[in-house]
Amino acid sequence: MKLKKVAALCSRQGVFRLCDEVREGGEVRQWLGDGVALYPLDGLPLLDDDNLCTMFDITEKKRKKCSFRRVEVPEYLCLDDWEQGERCLHDDWPTVEYNGFVVKPLSTREGIVFIQNAYLAPLEDMADYLQLFERRTASGRTYIVAKNGLELTAVIMPMDTIKMGFVDKLEELARMCRLTVNAMEERERREQEARLAAIVDPGQKDLFENDQAAGGET
């Protein structure tokens, strides 16, 4: 986990949320996020606003421009490493730029959702074993969790990007890509034909050559 990249996300949004997860026996596990995603702060002492700023070298000037809150984890989120009904996502869709954000499409039971690709940046050192899962709240709201092997490493809320204008742009992009691919294939076909024609010895008689060309009759 690259915690400096978590802090960078929070700084970008101007929001630092320290979330306390009270576990069995009263143990508190803390998570840090920007209101869109949460990441575990394992192996660290319990933090508050002051030592959080010290840890990430947040100046007093920057602190005044950001919102800092320490709250409990929302009850509707399940932060266990496994939840009944969760579904592993095996999407290999390309990322798309939308409104200045690079977004990653994911196929859930409710259809396509998008998450900001930037929220995977803190997990880059786990890429070899990282998997994304779909979970749903009791009210049916979809959210995404990331796991490093069997361990939960992030919670990410989808973006609300499904608008007809966005879909129209994707369809136009697909149409232009298809035209480009067709043109490339046609050019390659012609180049292949030209290469084959160049191989033929001009002095070699053609089996299918019209006999009239040699003065004969057909």
Side-chain angles (χ1 to χ4, degrees):
M1 177 77 69
K2 298 185 176 182
L3 290 180
K4 285 190 175 181
K5 291 197 173 184
V6 176
L9 291 171
C10 295
S11 184
R12 182 189 71 172
Q13 291 285 90
V15 175
F16 288 77
R17 290 289 178 268
L18 269 175
C19 295
D20 293 344
E21 175 195 6
V22 182
R23 313 184 89 178
E24 290 185 16
E27 177 189 0
V28 176
R29 184 189 194 189
Q30 284 193 309
W31 297 69
L32 177 63
D34 64 351
V36 175
L38 284 176
Y39 306 87
L41 298 176
D42 294 331
L44 297 174
L46 290 181
L47 300 177
D48 56 25
D49 295 357
D50 292 331
N51 50 28
L52 179 69
C53 291
T54 300
M55 177 179 175
F56 292 116
D57 297 321
I58 300 171
T59 64
E60 188 64 27
K61 181 179 179 180
K62 178 66 175 178
R63 182 172 179 173
K64 290 179 180 179
K65 296 180 180 179
C66 295
S67 169
F68 290 82
R69 288 180 59 193
R70 183 177 176 183
V71 298
E72 291 189 2
V73 171
E75 293 183 357
Y76 59 82
L77 293 179
C78 175
L79 300 184
D80 295 336
D81 290 331
W82 177 84
E83 182 186 38
Q84 185 173 0
E86 70 179 16
R87 177 172 168 266
C88 186
L89 303 176
H90 300 285
D91 293 281
D92 195 25
W93 297 102
T95 56
V96 181
E97 185 174 351
Y98 178 74
N99 278 355
F101 299 103
V102 177
V103 296
K104 180 178 179 62
L106 299 170
S107 302
T108 70
R109 283 169 288 199
E110 298 299 316
I112 292 288
V113 301
F114 294 83
I115 61 172
Q116 291 186 46
N117 211 48
Y119 288 111
L120 299 177
L123 312 175
E124 287 175 349
D125 56 343
M126 307 173 181
D128 290 344
Y129 302 100
L130 193 69
Q131 285 188 305
L132 300 179
F133 291 78
E134 166 194 0
R135 290 185 179 180
R136 300 180 71 184
T137 66
S139 64
R141 185 182 182 187
T142 297
Y143 62 101
I144 306 301
V145 300
K147 295 186 187 183
N148 179 29
L150 300 176
E151 182 181 6
L152 190 72
T153 55
V155 178
I156 306 170
M157 299 305 295
M159 288 186 73
D160 182 17
T161 60
I162 301 295
K163 302 288 190 298
M164 283 311 299
F166 178 59
V167 173
D168 290 342
K169 288 180 180 179
L170 290 180
E171 289 180 344
E172 178 63 14
L173 176 61
R175 186 184 72 83
M176 295 299 294
C177 287
R178 191 171 292 109
L179 290 174
T180 301
V181 170
N182 289 341
M184 290 173 59
E185 290 178 346
E186 177 63 18
R187 184 170 63 250
E188 290 174 357
R189 183 186 66 79
R190 291 179 179 178
E191 290 175 352
Q192 178 69 9
E193 289 179 351
R195 285 193 295 269
L196 291 174
I199 294 173
V200 177
D201 186 341
Q204 173 65 56
K205 294 295 184 180
D206 188 341
L207 177 65
F208 298 98
E209 183 178 356
N210 192 329
D211 190 46
Q212 289 179 343
E217 295 183 357
T218 57

